[in-house]
Amino acid sequence: MVRLLFWIALIAAAFWLWRKFKTSQQSPAEPRLEDPLRMVRCAHCGVHLPNDRALQRGSEWYCSQQHLEQGPGR
């Protein structure tokens, strides 16, 4: 009886490992963003916009060339 339970447990464990390995191999790789966009705040007017559309000077971000030239707001 113990030998039968041992073989059943061994076959069940092998089947479980085989299914786990098979599903991990078939799962499609999720497309990853290389550099995710983040929202930044204009140092002059305070409007928020994605960092790919903003202009940066040092550690400050600006929404337009005009605000970049004017510098930080009040």
Side-chain angles (χ1 to χ4, degrees):
M1 184 69 170
V2 174
R3 204 183 295 174
L4 179 63
L5 291 175
F6 170 75
W7 283 108
I8 290 173
L10 185 66
I11 291 170
F15 183 71
W16 178 76
L17 287 172
W18 176 71
R19 285 191 55 183
K20 185 175 180 182
F21 179 74
K22 183 180 173 185
T23 57
S24 69
Q25 292 292 329
Q26 292 179 352
S27 63
E30 296 180 17
R32 295 186 58 168
L33 294 175
E34 293 172 4
D35 187 19
L37 296 178
R38 61 186 184 106
M39 300 298 284
V40 294
R41 185 174 183 267
C42 177
H44 184 78
C45 66
V47 80
H48 287 83
L49 65 157
N51 66 340
D52 68 335
R53 298 183 59 194
L55 304 171
Q56 184 178 18
R57 178 186 292 161
S59 63
E60 297 176 333
W61 294 87
Y62 297 92
C63 62
S64 65
Q65 183 65 34
Q66 185 178 23
H67 284 180
L68 177 72
E69 293 169 0
Q70 292 175 359
R74 298 181 208 160

